[in-house]
Amino acid sequence: MSVRFNPGALSTEAAAQVQVATIPRLPPLHIPRPRLVDALLEARCRLRLICAPAGFGKSVLMNECARMVPADTHLVWLDLGGRAFSAEALCSQLRRVLSGTTSESGDVQQDLINLLNDFPRPLWIMLDDYPREVTAPFDACLDLLIERGPESVSWWVSSRRQPAWKLPRLLLQGDLFELEAEALALTASELRLLLKAHRLELADDTFKQLLAGSEGWLAGVSLLLLNADEQAVRERLTAGTSLLRDYVQREVLEGQSEDICRALFALARMPRFSSQLCEHVLDGIGNDLLDVLKTSQLFIRQTDNCGEWYRLWRPLALMLQRMPGVASPTQTHLRACQWFANRGEMREAVEHALWAGQPEVAANFLQRYGQEQLLIGDNVSHFMKWRSELPQDLFNSTTRLIVLHGWALIISARLDEVDDCLADLAKFFPQPDARRQAQLLAQWQALRGFLARLRGEPEARDYCLQALEVLSDHAWAQRVLCYQALSQQAIAESQLELAQHYNSEGMKLARLKGSVLYEAMLSIDRIQLLEITGEFERAVGVLEESLMVLRDGVGHSPIIGRLKLLRGHLLAYQGLDEPAREAFQQGRAETETCGDSYVFFGYAGLAELAARNQEFPTAYHWLREAERSAQWRHVPEARFRGVLPLITGLTWLHQGQLKKARAVFIQVLELYEGHIYIAPSGFYELLPRVQRYLAVIDLLSGRGALAIDTLRELIEQNLRSQRLGLACECRFTLAEALQMEGQHDEAELELRKALGEAARQHLVKPLYELQHRQPQWLAKMLPAGKGESLRDRLLQFEREPEESAASSDEAILSNRELTVLRLIAQGCSNQEIAEQLFISLHTVKTHARRINTKLGVARRTQAVARAKALAWL
């Protein structure tokens, strides 16, 4: 039931201040919003507050709810029109309607409480368009009524201003349900309904542009769509409309003070702002500005979780930028530039200097840009954008800018352009004194060494070692990167102990400097070392720990993207295809956003995963995307040399196109077999992996004997190099080759060894090939229960006892066991080993006992002798 009041019965003042009526009609192009209506109706509380800026559909939403008032509930609708209203007028209104009396006791608030307590039915009181100016007595009256009034009364309030009520207390008591602008913003499905109401269809890209550009602001969208076709929508998104400008002028700016208008025009040009920044930029009017903007709901949107940083809603900001404002854009940006620079936030300082048209100032601040900052968010993309905006001679004016530019290009894998940076750097020789000459040369060597590593050139080691001899502590970031390049070079050359040494040195330096990002970057190499040596569980542990550390301090980073891509790779090896696919997609999105060339590995991983699951159209799609992405980003073929052909050949192999697969594998083999180039980072096992795939092709082509000889040699090579994961894959293929050649007993023995190794490593990937080609044989060795995956079956596999598992020539030591053995060979005691490896004495003794068992010896000296005979030491 709704009640219609008679304004003539009120005092002249009250009648002038309030329009009392039945529920208004809904607008002609109204779209229902059940997600919001249901949330409001289902809330069990005293107060439902809909608080948002102009044009978010507050009144219409409350109107929808009013039409669904329960049958036993009395409804009172008051349209306050945003104007000032008194407690006396409210009391008079409610007394006349609810009791039919006009008697007053003199205590307005107590009269209202008594009136509400005496009302016999549940009551909804809806106050639409709450007073926009602060009216302290009215706020206090309503606050008391909500807190002390009967529970049978539900207050509904729509407001452009946040009333001065005890909202946190009401929230904690469960007496408040609040909807703000973010909740009222149109969703994609609601926008489609609105387009349908306007009889308008938009292409997907225009639809996404409209949703993002409007940020779901209902009034803004509606005015853009008025009498529009798709072309008009696109033009209006760029230039705005006169109707929208008029709406902003009348509904947002009109009635605001000159200071507030000046602030809005200034803030419209700032991607983010805080209270302190406002004080600096707005010169004396920023002290309480944010509080005023938030209280008045002037389109301010929080951008962090702590309530420090804000921005204006995008559609309003764009509209204000197009209007003649009272603030000077140049002065605003220069002040903001100064403020960010004083805080050491060089990215924003450079951006504001460029917006102010001051390239010299931007270049000056850019020199203070820390190299580590390139690993945060999309800073690399911004750096590359600045390069195109700054005059080239200005960008090449100092060695600091050139070096920074070179490292940004390396992260983006635009390797050919790094040569230009090296040439520009060479122009600064000779330096005024020997010390500066040596340091500049070392900077050049570090950059050249990392570039050589990415190109797979063997001379990378010499450049980096020479740079490390000279680089000062001040250039610690370059020292870390040299250690990384050396570690990656050693992994590619199968010198895993040396790789671990360089990785540890880099880690130590990164930790001494407190660089979480550089430590995480080096953790990627450590994880890949663990993967190569078959320690998948430890690799996963290090990976998750690195992600957790970054999550606490870094929102977005290329390093986070790389770690997620590596997570996808490890999950795929463990047979967890769906989580792997999700991780690849997350890593791809993160690296793409951050402008990192490692996005290539996301496409490659998704393609390999699809090929393995016989989803060939999907595999070819991702391969095309990988190639397209590299071309768009100007990534030369040298960065991922051989990787794309490798995945393409693997896809053909899974399809059974053996001739095509062999041809492409041979091409890759010729690139690397003569050691002209070294395998790229992230694909360190490229050469032995290609050799295994060629053995598989020999096997499937009827050349089983040749495949067996090749695979035996590969297993020996991989074990000698401690590439235990790849050795296990080769053993599966060897077992299959023996089976196809009729050597069934030996085949079964090899398969049992392979399954034992795979179970220990949690390595499921090689089982997919065997299941595809030899399903019955695998089912015999790994019986399948109902609904069990390959992973489940493998992890249940019971290995032979260690004493009879394998002969000493085929013994496999874990990476940690091999490290312990090397320290034993150096004459270290158990206590010394424990201290060096940061493990307990008991753990050292356990490792030593297992080493002896696996090597079939009784004493430490015998274990060392056996390992030397196997060329492990």
Side-chain angles (χ1 to χ4, degrees):
M1 173 182 177
S2 63
V3 176
R4 181 183 180 91
F5 292 106
N6 179 8
L10 301 176
S11 66
T12 305
E13 177 189 355
Q17 289 180 338
V18 63
Q19 173 192 356
V20 185
T22 54
I23 304 169
R25 68 179 181 85
L26 292 170
L29 295 177
H30 166 68
I31 58 164
R33 307 180 78 184
R35 66 179 178 94
L36 299 175
V37 172
D38 291 346
L40 286 164
L41 293 175
E42 290 169 7
R44 296 290 178 262
C45 55
R46 294 173 183 267
L47 172 63
R48 295 164 177 83
L49 176 61
I50 308 172
C51 192
F56 275 89
K58 302 178 293 296
S59 298
V60 174
L61 177 60
M62 200 159 72
N63 190 329
E64 279 191 78
C65 293
R67 296 167 188 275
M68 303 181 72
V69 61
D72 64 339
T73 300
H74 196 74
L75 171 67
V76 176
W77 177 284
L78 289 178
D79 181 4
L80 306 186
R83 296 179 293 276
F85 200 63
S86 67
E88 291 79 7
L90 178 66
C91 182
S92 178
Q93 294 262 14
L94 293 178
R95 187 184 305 107
R96 181 178 301 277
V97 172
L98 300 180
S99 68
T101 66
T102 58
S103 60
E104 300 180 17
S105 67
D107 186 338
V108 175
Q109 292 177 346
Q110 190 58 49
D111 281 350
L112 280 171
I113 291 171
N114 293 337
L115 180 65
L116 298 176
N117 278 324
D118 292 341
F119 196 75
R121 298 167 58 190
L123 183 61
W124 282 9
I125 301 177
M126 290 187 158
L127 305 182
D128 185 33
D129 203 358
Y130 195 80
R132 298 172 196 172
E133 295 293 329
V134 176
T135 312
F138 190 64
D139 281 359
C141 176
L142 264 294
D143 194 25
L144 184 69
L145 288 177
I146 293 166
E147 183 178 358
R148 293 175 52 186
E151 293 187 4
S152 59
V153 178
S154 294
W155 294 90
W156 298 64
V157 179
S158 73
S159 177
R160 291 191 194 179
R161 171 176 71 87
Q162 193 171 70
W165 298 336
K166 302 182 186 73
L167 296 177
R169 180 176 178 180
L170 290 172
L171 187 64
L172 290 173
Q173 291 173 344
D175 286 331
L176 169 65
F177 180 80
E178 185 175 6
L179 286 178
E180 298 179 311
E182 283 80 2
L184 295 171
L186 292 170
T187 63
S189 58
E190 289 168 348
L191 178 55
R192 287 192 176 90
L193 287 176
L194 187 59
L195 288 169
K196 187 176 180 180
H198 280 266
R199 298 179 181 178
L200 184 60
E201 291 187 11
L202 299 180
D204 285 345
D205 61 334
T206 308
F207 177 85
K208 290 175 183 177
Q209 189 180 352
L210 176 61
L211 186 61
S214 68
E215 291 194 317
W217 181 31
L218 181 58
V221 173
S222 299
L223 290 171
L224 281 172
L225 297 180
L226 200 61
N227 300 321
D229 56 16
E230 179 163 0
Q231 183 60 33
V233 170
R234 297 179 72 90
E235 292 174 3
R236 290 173 182 180
L237 279 169
T238 303
T241 72
S242 57
L243 281 175
L244 191 51
R245 283 191 292 274
D246 186 58
Y247 183 88
V248 168
Q249 184 66 51
R250 292 178 180 277
E251 298 295 330
V252 180
L253 301 178
E254 194 171 276
Q256 302 296 337
S257 68
E258 184 178 338
D259 283 347
I260 292 296
C261 289
R262 174 188 166 198
L264 286 173
F265 278 106
L267 298 179
R269 300 182 177 277
M270 303 178 66
R272 65 171 187 152
F273 50 82
S274 66
S275 178
Q276 292 178 339
L277 178 56
C278 288
E279 289 180 32
H280 183 84
V281 169
L282 298 173
D283 193 21
I285 66 168
N287 292 334
D288 302 315
L289 175 67
L290 283 186
D291 290 336
V292 173
L293 294 178
K294 285 188 286 185
T295 300
S296 302
Q297 291 292 309
L298 285 174
F299 289 85
I300 184 172
R301 188 167 189 174
Q302 186 173 317
T303 61
D304 63 359
N305 296 319
C306 304
E308 179 183 3
W309 289 98
Y310 297 85
R311 66 172 175 85
L312 291 188
W313 280 75
R314 190 173 294 117
L316 176 68
L318 291 173
M319 186 56 60
L320 291 176
Q321 289 173 22
R322 300 183 190 114
M323 297 170 67
V326 293
S328 165
T330 300
Q331 192 64 25
T332 295
H333 288 308
L334 283 176
R335 285 177 174 269
C337 170
Q338 181 187 47
W339 187 85
F340 279 113
N342 289 339
R343 286 169 54 100
E345 297 184 35
M346 292 304 139
R347 169 173 159 174
E348 279 91 348
V350 172
E351 289 282 11
H352 282 286
L354 289 172
W355 289 328
Q358 302 289 327
E360 294 84 1
V361 176
N364 181 50
F365 286 135
L366 196 54
Q367 289 198 99
R368 304 188 215 168
Y369 205 72
Q371 193 167 310
E372 189 180 21
Q373 288 181 280
L374 294 174
L375 299 177
I376 299 174
D378 58 349
N379 283 354
V380 168
S381 299
H382 277 269
F383 195 96
M384 302 308 291
K385 180 174 74 72
W386 297 333
R387 185 188 70 156
S388 64
E389 294 176 2
L390 284 167
Q392 192 61 39
D393 57 340
L394 197 63
F395 213 89
N396 296 335
S397 60
T398 68
T399 58
R400 172 66 184 160
L401 280 176
I402 294 170
V403 169
L404 203 58
H405 183 199
W407 289 114
L409 288 168
I410 277 177
I411 293 172
S412 304
R414 299 171 72 157
L415 307 186
D416 295 342
E417 297 174 56
V418 181
D419 289 323
D420 295 333
C421 288
L422 291 169
D424 290 332
L425 205 58
K427 295 175 184 176
F428 286 83
F429 291 107
Q431 287 288 294
D433 58 66
R435 185 190 64 81
R436 281 190 281 183
Q437 175 87 353
Q439 288 299 313
L440 183 58
L441 178 60
Q443 293 271 7
W444 186 94
Q445 289 169 326
L447 199 57
R448 180 67 182 87
F450 212 97
L451 175 62
R453 169 63 214 131
L454 292 181
R455 286 173 169 167
E457 298 169 351
E459 57 266 29
R461 179 189 290 106
D462 293 337
Y463 284 120
C464 290
L465 287 174
Q466 290 166 12
L468 282 172
E469 289 179 4
V470 178
L471 283 171
S472 67
D473 185 64
H474 180 70
W476 66 267
Q478 283 92 327
R479 292 182 64 83
V480 171
L481 290 165
C482 283
Y483 281 124
Q484 185 186 34
L486 288 167
S487 177
Q488 292 180 355
Q489 188 91 343
I491 299 174
E493 294 175 338
S494 297
Q495 300 180 47
L496 302 189
E497 186 178 5
L498 186 61
Q500 189 170 352
H501 164 73
Y502 286 132
N503 183 258
S504 298
E505 289 299 310
M507 282 272 198
K508 188 189 304 180
L509 182 54
R511 288 167 181 161
L512 283 173
K513 298 301 179 181
S515 175
V516 172
L517 275 168
Y518 272 27
E519 182 182 352
M521 180 179 69
L522 291 166
S523 292
I524 294 172
D525 298 325
R526 183 184 173 203
I527 292 162
Q528 290 175 321
L529 267 169
L530 291 170
E531 176 214 334
I532 289 169
T533 54
E535 297 188 64
F536 280 87
E537 283 189 282
R538 282 188 64 202
V540 171
V542 173
L543 188 148
E544 296 302 330
E545 182 182 342
S546 299
L547 280 172
M548 187 175 297
V549 170
L550 289 179
R551 183 190 63 189
D552 294 337
V554 182
H556 293 281
S557 167
I559 305 304
I560 292 176
R562 295 178 190 185
L563 285 166
K564 289 183 176 179
L565 291 174
L566 192 49
R567 176 196 272 167
H569 176 73
L570 294 177
L571 289 169
Y573 262 80
Q574 295 174 82
L576 300 168
D577 287 3
E578 281 309 311
R581 188 174 287 108
E582 183 180 352
F584 277 132
Q585 290 285 24
Q586 290 175 351
R588 183 180 67 86
E590 183 77 9
T591 48
E592 198 161 43
T593 299
C594 296
D596 184 21
S597 63
Y598 270 69
V599 67
F600 178 91
F601 290 107
Y603 292 118
L606 288 165
E608 185 173 358
L609 201 59
R612 190 175 78 187
N613 288 293
Q614 311 293 305
E615 300 166 357
F616 299 116
T618 304
Y620 288 124
H621 163 74
W622 290 122
L623 286 169
R624 287 192 300 272
E625 287 299 304
E627 187 173 22
R628 178 175 174 272
S629 173
Q631 291 167 351
W632 268 105
R633 293 173 180 276
H634 306 284
V635 177
E637 191 271 339
R639 173 61 185 94
F640 303 114
R641 184 184 287 111
V643 176
L644 203 58
L646 173 72
I647 307 298
T648 303
L650 182 57
T651 305
W652 282 333
L653 177 57
H654 283 302
Q655 272 189 293
Q657 299 187 42
L658 302 185
K659 287 185 179 180
K660 285 185 176 182
R662 177 185 289 277
V664 76
F665 288 144
I666 292 294
Q667 290 176 7
V668 177
L669 198 65
E670 289 172 349
L671 277 173
Y672 291 100
E673 202 165 30
H675 300 291
I676 301 172
Y677 298 113
I678 298 173
S681 303
F683 275 82
Y684 300 108
E685 299 176 323
L686 190 143
L687 180 59
R689 197 163 290 282
V690 166
Q691 291 167 336
R692 185 181 88 81
Y693 293 144
L694 285 170
V696 171
I697 292 173
D698 286 336
L699 166 66
L700 298 178
S701 302
R703 295 186 289 271
L706 177 60
I708 289 170
D709 291 341
T710 302
L711 289 163
R712 288 192 195 280
E713 185 178 348
L714 282 173
I715 290 170
E716 184 181 342
Q717 290 174 2
N718 288 322
L719 288 176
R720 191 181 303 121
S721 302
Q722 285 295 296
R723 293 192 293 255
L724 304 189
L726 189 52
C728 180
E729 292 185 55
C730 291
R731 197 178 293 282
F732 274 104
T733 311
L734 174 60
E736 185 181 0
L738 291 167
Q739 177 75 0
M740 292 179 68
E741 286 294 297
Q743 302 176 40
H744 302 302
D745 292 340
E746 193 174 352
E748 185 169 327
L749 179 62
E750 285 294 339
L751 183 56
R752 285 190 175 279
K753 290 177 185 177
L755 287 169
E757 294 169 12
R760 182 179 66 81
Q761 298 178 34
H762 290 194
L763 182 61
V764 182
K765 179 184 175 183
L767 271 69
Y768 282 93
E769 289 183 36
L770 200 60
Q771 185 184 46
H772 180 63
R773 294 194 293 263
Q774 302 284 346
Q776 294 180 339
W777 189 36
L778 183 60
K780 176 186 173 185
M781 300 297 291
L782 281 183
K786 186 176 181 180
E788 285 185 334
S789 66
L790 267 179
R791 176 182 170 83
D792 298 331
R793 292 157 62 187
L794 175 66
L795 296 183
Q796 292 173 12
F797 177 75
E798 302 228 355
R799 288 174 287 167
E800 297 291 329
E802 279 192 13
E803 291 77 7
S804 60
S807 68
S808 59
D809 287 346
E810 294 163 338
I812 297 175
L813 300 185
S814 71
N815 191 44
R816 179 48 61 94
E817 288 167 349
L818 189 61
T819 303
V820 170
L821 182 57
R822 285 173 178 141
L823 292 172
I824 290 173
Q826 294 170 19
C828 297
S829 67
N830 286 346
Q831 184 62 46
E832 289 170 334
I833 295 171
E835 290 171 358
Q836 285 196 44
L837 300 180
F838 302 100
I839 56 178
S840 69
L841 185 61
H842 172 74
T843 303
V844 175
K845 291 178 179 178
T846 300
H847 283 314
R849 185 172 62 254
R850 287 178 177 168
I851 290 167
N852 290 345
T853 300
K854 289 182 177 183
L855 295 180
V857 298
R859 292 189 296 278
R860 291 159 62 104
T861 53
Q862 292 173 331
V864 172
R866 173 66 68 183
K868 287 181 177 178
L870 293 170
W872 290 357
L873 296 177

